[in-house]
Amino acid sequence: MKNRGLLQMSAIAIVAFFIHGCAGSDRVNGNDTTISQTQTMGGDAKEEPAEINYDEMFESIGNTKQFDIVALANSNQNLTTFVNLIEKADITDVLKSKGPFTVFIPTNKAFDHLSKTELEQLLQPENKVRLIKVLQAHILPNKVYATDFKDAQRIKTADNKRINVQVSPDKTVTIGGARIVKPNVEVSNGIVHIVDDVIMATEATQN
């Protein structure tokens, strides 16, 4: 019961930071940007079509601005793993709140890049801290468009790691090893970028 209470208190603090912690510019400035800790990811992968037409990904729902981040993810069968993970982690209320947030949502296929053992370990209650560190790499507490990212930019995490950003000559953005395949999906509480891998942070001392 004590541990559960601490996790609930942490979730409240996380929501407070996300809502109030970036009360400045909505854009990324310079080569270093900071993201805060959030809570966890967890869930079971489901099948998805072999090929995804990213251009038509949200066509059936019309104006995406009428949906929050969670509702948008719920609208597409290729994002069911992400939905299941945030539900099991009790983070849905955070991603339904006012924001603004930028969320990088991996497709179901992206989560296949984690081994079955890795995913199962992350889902264990005793590994909740590890889950926090995985999910925090996918959430920025402000509104960031794909064009705001700069090549060689570094995003700092709350645990003093970094996420490296690469921008190719054709303006494709890769963040923490995950390529943005559907950028700049506007939602009521921020921006969603669909990515093709799970974002990974590296030690800040690494080059």
Side-chain angles (χ1 to χ4, degrees), residues 41-49 51-54 56-61 64 67-87 92 95 103-111 135 138 179 181-182 185 187 191-197:
M41 25 182 333
D44 301 318
K46 294 185 179 180
E47 292 183 0
E48 65 171 285
E51 297 295 332
I52 305 171
N53 187 330
Y54 297 109
E56 299 178 0
M57 202 165 185
F58 302 110
E59 269 194 0
S60 63
I61 64 174
T64 57
F67 299 97
D68 61 40
I69 292 160
V70 176
L72 181 83
N74 267 307
S75 76
N76 193 279
Q77 64 177 340
N78 296 296
L79 307 177
T80 54
T81 299
F82 178 80
V83 171
N84 287 335
L85 300 182
I86 62 173
E87 285 177 351
T92 52
L95 296 182
V103 179
F104 303 91
I105 302 183
T107 62
N108 295 347
K109 201 170 198 177
F111 283 106
L135 190 56
H138 294 77
R179 182 170 54 102
V181 290
K182 176 73 173 177
V185 183
V187 290
I191 296 286
V192 166
H193 303 293
I194 306 301
V195 293
D196 67 353
D197 207 338

Side-chain angles (χ1 to χ4, degrees), residues 114-127:
L114 295 178
S115 71
K116 183 178 178 181
T117 300
E118 285 177 308
L119 187 57
E120 287 177 350
Q121 287 178 346
L122 284 173
L123 297 177
Q124 297 302 312
E126 63 268 23
N127 292 328

Side-chain angles (χ1 to χ4, degrees), residues 9 15 21 27 30 33 36 87 115 156 174:
M9 289 175 65
V15 173
R27 300 295 178 109
T33 240
S36 170
E87 285 177 351
S115 71
K156 294 180 180 178
T174 300

